[in-house]
Amino acid sequence: MTARQLPAQQQPAQQRSARQPAAQQPPVIQIRHLTKAYGHGDATVHALRGPLAPGTGEPEGVSLDVEQGDYVAVMGSSGSGKSTLMNILGCLDVPTAGRYLLDGIDVGHLDEQQLSLVRNRKIGFIFQSFNLVPRTTALAQVELPLAYAGVRAAERRRRALAALSLVGLSERAGHRPNELSGGQQQRVAVARALVTAPAMLLADEPTGNLDSRSTRDVLAIIDDLNASGRTVVLITHEDEVAEHAKRVLRLVDGQIVSDVRQAPVDGPPPALRALAGARP
Amino acid sequence: MLRFALGGLAANKVRSALTMLGVLIGVASVILLLAVGNGSSQAVKDSITSLGTNSLTVSSTNLRGSATAARKLTVDDAKALAGATDAPSIKSVAPVVTTTATALYGNISYTPGSIVGTYPAYFETANQKVVQGDYFSNDDVLNSRKVAVIGSTTAKQLFDTEDPVGKRIVLGGTPFTVVGVLATKGSTGFNDPDDVVIAPLPTVQNAFTGFGSVSQILVQADSADATTAAQSDITRILMGTHAITDPGKVDFRVSNQASLLTARESTSKTFTVLLGAVAAISLLVGGIGITNIMLVTVTERTREIGIRKALGAPKAVILGQFLTESTLLSVLGAGLGVVAGIVGSRFSIVGIKPVVIPQSVLGAFAIAVAIGLFFGSYPANRAASLRPIDALRHE
């Protein structure tokens, strides 16, 4: 696969609609026997190992499929391997062994240049610590991934403003991170994550640094995004946050110990369904 | 990208300013020191033209180990040169005797640098022009009249603001009438050509040196190009008058003023190169300053680099961003350095008026920018090669 092929593959992803049955779409994430180990020899730590193979006792690795339009919460205490999983899913880190197909692309065989392209086109990151670029206005922050994608200035501005208004921050477009509250900073980060129309939103404890009101705001935005068809993978250790997801995975010591579906893939996320149900 | 780079520099104003100062000093010193070197060689060039590029000096030498005592140059030698019909390159000949004596005017006593006895041809040959009064004439020489033309320094010392023309001065007991004052030539550093009294040759011989030998014979060639031809003509004729057959045993020396000064000019060129080298080192140090500060910047902004990489910034973009920043530092520093260098060269430094070489300005600027690129590339490459996961974890 060459880097030039990526934009062409992105097109169908943008045209996907929320209500299409998941069965017609290949899974956004396909993980097969993924392991990640740090260190060498006796000091080796298996951050991701999955169940042990019955015969050999070797780690078999984690396997996981995430459907298009799904809303998955990955839960686990610290050291459970959820951050490692997140880094691998986000193409920030490479697995020790196993295959990872993101939107049909095997990212294991990509070089640095192609990986940056995958991160740009396929993944929208939302971090716990917001990770906005310092001294840069909200509008420029949101334009940044588009600039890396080579979008023209006028188009970039239009799409960035649209993304900012989606998170309710269009009047704050000219503000720098130090002029924004934590909740607003995280909403800028959400706008930045969704502006490229990625195949997947990857949120690492997005509400970890927020007060309860901002948490509600940010989660509501993520719920809306999922309702409009965006695949979301969210990492958290808070049950209240996990309640928003359609599917909850629990990680303990590098293995998935439980996989609970809270809502169907092709329906609205639970929080929104509760709202719809409450209406007459 | 430029906006980002400017923003990055503005975020640490003091640091950026100090880094730029390093480049500024480097560029300014290259321009200024080369200008000083150039200025001094220009001054030498000017003094060559002021001496007259087509003048030749014949002086006698005492050949060591020679069996016969060297014959001194005489007025007859000069006459032989002047009268030679087969030497078309020789335009005029002026025998010269020099001596020193104390000059008196009223109750003012002053010793001029030298008293020259010569022919009127001397004035043209030595490029001495009279601005007040007149030259003495051939008639004055023939009649040994006690007249003198004085240099501007001598005039100032003896007469101050008075008009010296027509005044009588006493030189070593002999009264002379001042008929003219020479134009100021300006010092070339070693001696003052304006501190001189010029009088007809026989008068000076009569009063001071006696009618023996002359110290020099000044010959003017037809043109600057004819000096070589004139030189060989002089050698041929004087070998005849001195009855010398072996060219290795000549008892006189024909020296070309211009070639003498060319030697001095090449000395000043060496001086320029040395100054330039010192300045280039300071430019290099400025470049290392850029590397240093960019490394600090990269470390400080590792997290930001991680964010950008997570957003999909390709390696080339990160590389470009930091290269732009370091190049901007060097371009701004070099620009200010050019300004500082040009402003600085308006002042005269240790008596030398600096002359800016346009190529040095362009060259210093270009080298500074290249240094920015070169020394910025290491930190920029380091930033671009950071693994996003490591960069994001960096605190």
Side-chain angles (χ1 to χ4, degrees):
Chain A
M1 193 207 75
T2 66
R4 221 174 292 123
Q5 284 173 311
L6 271 171
Q9 290 192 348
Q10 192 194 348
Q11 289 312 115
Q14 280 180 329
Q15 287 157 7
R16 279 177 199 138
S17 81
R19 298 291 173 251
Q20 257 181 317
Q24 291 182 6
Q25 297 286 343
V28 174
I29 295 171
Q30 279 178 288
I31 288 177
R32 292 291 173 268
H33 305 297
L34 201 74
T35 59
K36 177 71 185 178
Y38 296 105
H40 300 282
D42 290 342
T44 307
V45 175
H46 290 277
L48 279 180
R49 59 165 110 198
L52 296 183
T56 57
E58 286 293 304
E60 204 169 50
V62 173
S63 295
L64 175 70
D65 279 3
V66 175
E67 299 298 329
Q68 163 69 35
D70 207 349
Y71 189 167
V72 181
V74 179
M75 296 196 67
S77 54
S78 57
S80 61
K82 61 183 194 305
S83 289
T84 305
L85 182 64
M86 148 95 184
N87 288 334
I88 290 170
L89 288 181
C91 300
L92 294 173
D93 208 351
V94 284
T96 308
R99 264 159 65 87
Y100 170 27
L101 272 73
L102 173 61
D103 212 20
I105 301 163
D106 189 346
V107 296
H109 300 118
L110 301 186
D111 63 19
E112 170 74 31
Q113 176 74 23
Q114 292 163 329
L115 275 179
S116 68
L117 224 77
V118 165
R119 285 197 291 269
N120 185 245
R121 308 285 162 89
K122 302 285 183 198
I123 304 162
F125 285 100
I126 304 164
F127 298 96
Q128 177 175 5
S129 48
F130 321 139
N131 276 349
L132 298 183
V133 180
R135 301 180 305 276
T136 309
T137 63
L139 183 63
Q141 305 269 2
V142 180
E143 280 188 16
L144 212 52
L146 294 175
Y148 293 142
V151 177
R152 286 177 170 283
E155 168 78 357
R156 210 156 71 200
R157 195 179 169 77
R158 191 186 62 72
R159 281 169 68 176
L161 282 171
L164 277 175
S165 73
L166 202 67
V167 299
L169 281 178
S170 36
E171 76 285 357
R172 299 250 165 201
H175 289 239
R176 292 164 208 283
N178 54 1
E179 300 160 349
L180 296 170
S181 72
Q184 287 170 333
Q185 288 191 45
Q186 191 61 300
R187 273 146 71 193
V188 171
V190 172
R192 187 179 64 184
L194 64 88
V195 75
T196 50
M200 162 176 70
L201 278 186
L202 204 52
D204 185 7
E205 308 244 14
T207 59
N209 284 2
L210 298 179
D211 60 35
S212 56
R213 197 174 141 266
S214 302
T215 299
R216 272 200 305 280
D217 288 349
V218 169
L219 284 177
I221 291 166
I222 295 176
D223 285 349
D224 283 340
L225 287 171
N226 178 248
S228 62
R230 195 71 63 212
T231 310
V232 178
V233 175
L234 184 142
I235 288 172
T236 185
H237 61 262
E238 292 172 66
D239 289 327
E240 305 89 77
V241 176
E243 277 167 15
H244 287 255
K246 295 171 181 172
R247 180 184 177 193
V248 179
L249 298 174
R250 278 181 196 277
L251 275 175
V252 174
D253 292 341
Q255 326 188 17
I256 297 171
V257 293
S258 81
D259 186 348
V260 179
R261 183 153 290 288
Q262 305 187 130
V265 173
D266 51 355
L272 292 185
R273 198 169 50 174
L275 274 179
R279 283 192 205 118
Chain B
M1 193 138 91
L2 209 65
R3 210 152 41 92
F4 273 127
L6 275 173
L9 294 185
N12 272 300
K13 289 195 185 66
V14 175
R15 188 198 287 172
S16 306
L18 286 175
T19 314
M20 275 194 267
L21 191 67
V23 183
L24 187 153
I25 290 172
V27 170
S29 58
V30 165
I31 293 172
L32 205 56
L33 293 184
L34 286 181
V36 167
N38 189 38
S40 79
S41 78
Q42 202 86 33
V44 173
K45 252 185 214 157
D46 287 348
S47 64
I48 291 172
T49 31
S50 79
L51 272 165
T53 45
N54 47 357
S55 72
L56 296 161
T57 309
V58 186
S59 47
S60 79
T61 53
N62 260 325
L63 203 69
R64 261 173 236 180
S66 163
T68 55
R71 273 183 67 176
K72 295 282 175 66
L73 292 167
T74 60
V75 178
D76 291 332
D77 289 329
K79 281 179 177 154
L81 287 174
T85 47
D86 54 351
S89 54
I90 295 173
K91 193 179 170 193
S92 63
V93 177
V96 176
V97 293
T98 49
T99 183
T100 51
T102 304
L104 289 166
Y105 172 68
N107 53 3
I108 304 160
S109 169
Y110 175 69
T111 309
S114 61
I115 293 162
V116 174
T118 187
Y119 289 171
Y122 174 85
F123 293 105
E124 198 195 339
T125 313
N127 202 21
Q128 296 272 28
K129 289 187 180 64
V130 165
V131 283
Q132 254 179 297
D134 204 354
Y135 304 93
F136 56 78
S137 62
N138 279 320
D139 196 38
D140 292 328
V141 174
L142 288 173
N143 295 310
S144 302
R145 288 206 184 100
K146 296 184 176 68
V147 290
V149 171
I150 59 175
S152 58
T153 305
T154 314
K156 175 113 180 61
Q157 293 291 339
L158 283 174
F159 298 97
D160 197 12
T161 50
E162 253 184 281
D163 181 5
V165 178
K167 301 283 175 0
R168 287 184 141 246
I169 56 171
V170 180
L171 275 176
T174 313
F176 280 81
T177 308
V178 177
V179 292
V181 180
L182 294 169
T184 307
K185 280 184 137 184
S187 173
T188 50
F190 300 115
N191 52 5
D192 186 356
D194 299 321
D195 192 12
V196 70
V197 174
I198 302 169
L201 177 69
T203 319
V204 174
Q205 283 179 318
N206 191 23
F208 305 103
T209 60
F211 294 90
S213 59
V214 296
S215 13
Q216 288 179 329
I217 300 173
L218 218 59
V219 179
Q220 189 182 21
D222 230 13
S223 66
D225 301 329
T227 49
T228 320
Q231 203 158 345
S232 60
D233 283 342
I234 293 163
T235 310
R236 181 171 49 76
I237 294 162
L238 288 188
M239 274 168 73
T241 57
H242 287 201
I244 298 163
T245 45
D246 182 359
K249 286 186 178 168
V250 290
D251 53 3
F252 57 88
R253 187 179 62 206
V254 185
S255 61
N256 188 333
Q257 293 281 26
S259 74
L260 231 132
L261 284 163
T262 314
R264 258 179 77 189
E265 201 197 344
S266 78
T267 314
S268 86
K269 270 205 180 112
T270 317
F271 174 62
T272 308
V273 168
L274 271 173
L275 284 178
V278 171
I281 289 170
S282 77
L283 192 55
L284 189 75
V285 171
I288 293 169
I290 290 186
T291 315
N292 197 6
I293 230 60
M294 287 311 292
L295 278 176
V296 172
T297 306
V298 166
T299 312
E300 207 175 50
R301 285 160 62 184
T302 301
R303 199 177 169 82
E304 181 194 324
I305 295 164
I307 299 168
R308 288 176 184 277
K309 288 205 146 185
L311 294 181
K315 200 173 169 174
V317 169
I318 304 281
L319 193 74
Q321 189 188 338
F322 282 91
L323 268 187
T324 313
E325 224 165 273
S326 64
T327 310
L328 207 63
L329 269 179
S330 63
V331 166
L332 289 178
L336 291 171
V338 166
V339 172
I342 288 174
V343 167
S345 65
R346 293 183 166 274
F347 304 99
S348 119
I349 296 156
V350 286
I352 298 163
K353 179 94 194 72
V355 179
V356 174
I357 314 167
Q359 292 97 305
S360 83
V361 175
L362 277 175
F365 189 83
I367 288 170
V369 173
I371 277 179
L373 272 172
F374 179 75
F375 285 99
S377 67
Y378 170 63
N381 198 44
R382 199 154 125 168
S385 319
L386 278 172
R387 294 204 310 141
I389 180 78
D390 297 337
L392 271 175
R393 277 191 194 138
H394 189 268
E395 279 305 329

